[in-house]
Amino acid sequence: MSAERRVVLMICDGHRNDFVRPDTCPNIHAFGQRSRRFMRHRAIFPSATRASATSIATGCWPANHGLHGNTMGLPDGDGHRVHDVGDPAFVGKLRSAFGRTLEVPTMAQRLAAHGGAVIASNVSPGAAYFQDPDHYGHVVHRAGSFGPGGSVLGLDEAPVVSHDYAGDEALAEWFATEVLTRRRPRLSVLWLANPDLGMHAAPLGSPTHLEAIACADRAFARVEAAVEALRSEGEDVLFLVGSDHGQESVRERVAVAARLVEAGLKDGPDSTDVVIAPQGGSGLLYVADRARGRIPAIAAFLEAQPYIEEVFTGNEMLAIGQRPGNGLAIVFAMARSAEPNPFGVPGLMTLCVSDEKPGKPEGHGSHGGLGDFECHPFLIANGGGFAAGTLEHGVSRLIDIAPTVMRFLGLPRDGMDGLPLPQD
Ligand SMILES: [Zn+2]
């Protein structure tokens, strides 16, 4: 009898690689020591959850899956407006604008006829729904849970948990008992809100941050026990545990679009000619056709600002996984430094903010840019042919997760940007 192959993917949102230590998360750390741990795992740009969830789900850069960031510009009249991708209504807005949601299939779509996928998420609705925006599998989220074809799942089929530590642990318990043990889909994904939630709420390295990590570590232990029970029954399980990005400490916040208005490069605060979709430590800038002549001047202005570190215009943005088009003309990363915060945690960042997206307060954690620590999530692979007790020092990327899943399940990874991860 050949063993049933299944994949379990668990994401501890925002967990920095340098905080995967025996003193902070003993269960995850010990698991890393008896698995294959990827020491140079890298975030996408922007290092923001919704675009990252989509890259994990598709194996593609934002350039190819089409979801630009946590907020993004959509056509509006003869210009653009910025929309919040976290809003449950955004999937419908994207479909209305372009006649489709993502430009490439998700793992849920690829696995629909091969045992299916169940995705349980406790982060924003957008980050949950963009792992399966066209309803091929099951997505469980407190804002609404859906099955194949978009059927609405009732409380008997999907729990509604709180957006906090207790909710993360309740979702992990349901995931372990109901999804892993009873339903047994081909792919099971659990996406915790922590430690990201606690990191945003307080300084990095503070008791709140450590408590949020401990919450994720307890949830991990519950899931690991369920995975081991499946294996003891003879199932062949690839168990991947990681995060989507890290966080750094906010030192300054700049309303970049307002600075463009002051400089005469944007018509007004609410104008649609030039708009910026803030991503925390970076921004995506959309330009209307009628204003395209201003692109060189806008790029030169941004490059001259001390609060901005890098500016990518046109095809330059391909180098960081974004693509010009649909109005997206310039992307930029905010300034940062490797200095420590008062708790000794390195990495300070400047935020790109707006009236609608004021960002986290100074001193708290945030992300979205190109800082070394916000761009360094963790990843551990266990079972599925990965050599136990080994470290990989080559670079791995979020987009390599889906190809790794497909390889293990013996399915094609056509159209994916990523590559299967090295097993030894
Ligand atoms: Zn995240």
Side-chain angles (χ1 to χ4, degrees):
M1 187 182 79
S2 69
E4 285 275 13
R5 289 197 163 189
R6 303 191 188 286
V7 178
V8 179
L9 169 63
M10 179 171 177
I11 300 291
C12 308
D13 203 295
H15 199 11
R16 284 169 54 144
N17 186 65
D18 59 340
F19 274 81
V20 178
R21 305 191 308 246
D23 58 320
T24 54
C25 49
N27 295 310
I28 295 172
H29 182 265
F31 172 72
Q33 288 195 306
R34 58 178 179 272
S35 307
R36 185 160 177 79
R37 184 166 167 193
F38 291 81
M39 299 306 288
R40 292 184 67 200
H41 197 46
R42 303 300 292 169
I44 61 156
F45 176 87
S47 52
T49 305
R50 297 152 203 166
S52 299
T54 311
S55 285
I56 288 174
T58 61
C60 288
W61 299 113
N64 289 334
H65 64 57
L67 191 80
H68 298 163
N70 264 8
T71 61
M72 77 180 264
L74 293 178
D76 189 293
D78 63 352
H80 300 86
R81 292 261 180 221
V82 173
H83 296 267
D84 186 346
V85 174
D87 178 353
F90 183 80
V91 177
K93 290 180 184 175
L94 186 64
R95 192 181 281 117
S96 305
F98 299 125
R100 46 92 184 151
T101 58
L102 300 175
E103 298 190 46
V104 295
T106 61
M107 286 195 281
Q109 181 174 353
R110 290 171 183 265
L111 296 176
H114 300 280
V118 176
I119 296 153
S121 172
N122 202 26
V123 292
S124 71
Y129 298 153
F130 274 100
Q131 293 179 73
D132 183 21
D134 299 312
H135 303 303
Y136 289 92
H138 291 75
V139 176
V140 173
H141 189 273
R142 60 184 188 278
S145 298
F146 302 96
S151 60
V152 176
L153 304 178
L155 279 172
D156 53 329
E157 295 175 285
V160 173
V161 302
S162 50
H163 188 218
D164 53 19
Y165 299 150
D168 271 0
E169 291 196 62
L171 193 63
E173 176 61 35
W174 177 82
F175 181 79
T177 318
E178 175 65 21
V179 181
L180 297 188
T181 309
R182 196 165 305 151
R183 297 195 200 174
R184 306 192 184 200
R186 195 66 57 213
L187 171 66
S188 306
V189 179
L190 174 64
W191 198 300
L192 300 181
N194 284 292
D196 185 82
L197 203 54
M199 297 165 83
H200 279 308
L204 301 183
S206 70
T208 300
H209 178 190
L210 301 180
E211 190 184 344
I213 295 174
C215 164
D217 197 47
R218 288 191 298 272
F220 163 78
R222 179 67 190 92
V223 172
E224 189 196 20
V227 169
E228 288 307 328
L230 289 178
R231 287 173 171 163
S232 69
E233 292 178 26
E235 296 208 354
D236 188 1
V237 183
L238 168 60
F239 187 20
L240 299 166
V241 181
S243 56
D244 50 344
H245 53 76
Q247 288 203 12
E248 302 196 5
S249 303
V250 178
R251 65 175 178 193
E252 184 187 11
R253 300 184 297 163
V254 181
V256 182
R259 303 290 176 91
L260 290 179
V261 175
E262 290 164 14
L265 293 166
K266 170 171 163 60
D267 290 348
D270 298 319
S271 67
T272 61
D273 56 332
V274 175
V275 300
I276 293 177
Q279 312 294 326
S282 66
L284 310 177
L285 191 145
Y286 298 77
V287 180
D289 286 344
R290 62 190 151 94
R292 289 193 69 80
R294 267 181 261 162
I295 290 174
I298 294 170
F301 174 83
L302 296 175
E303 275 169 11
Q305 304 311 309
Y307 52 82
I308 289 180
E309 191 117 353
E310 297 103 342
V311 178
F312 304 84
T313 305
N315 283 333
E316 289 169 4
M317 65 179 82
L318 292 170
I320 53 168
Q322 293 279 353
R323 183 191 300 279
N326 292 326
L328 184 62
I330 299 174
V331 303
F332 55 90
M334 302 298 281
R336 65 269 174 184
S337 84
E339 290 167 80
N341 77 351
F343 286 87
V345 178
L348 305 182
M349 67 187 300
T350 302
L351 291 188
C352 171
V353 302
S354 66
D355 287 347
E356 296 74 30
K357 283 279 159 189
K360 305 303 173 195
E362 279 86 354
H364 289 208
S366 192
H367 54 97
L370 286 174
D372 288 344
F373 300 95
E374 59 188 325
C375 287
H376 199 166
F378 80 103
L379 180 67
I380 298 167
N382 177 276
F386 283 90
T390 60
L391 297 177
E392 171 59 55
H393 292 283
V395 169
S396 61
R397 309 157 303 174
L398 298 189
I399 58 168
D400 298 330
I401 290 173
T404 300
V405 170
M406 292 297 127
R407 175 182 62 189
F408 177 68
L409 296 177
L411 295 169
R413 56 179 169 84
D414 54 294
M416 290 185 178
D417 296 328
L419 295 168
L421 293 164
Q423 292 178 301
D424 54 30

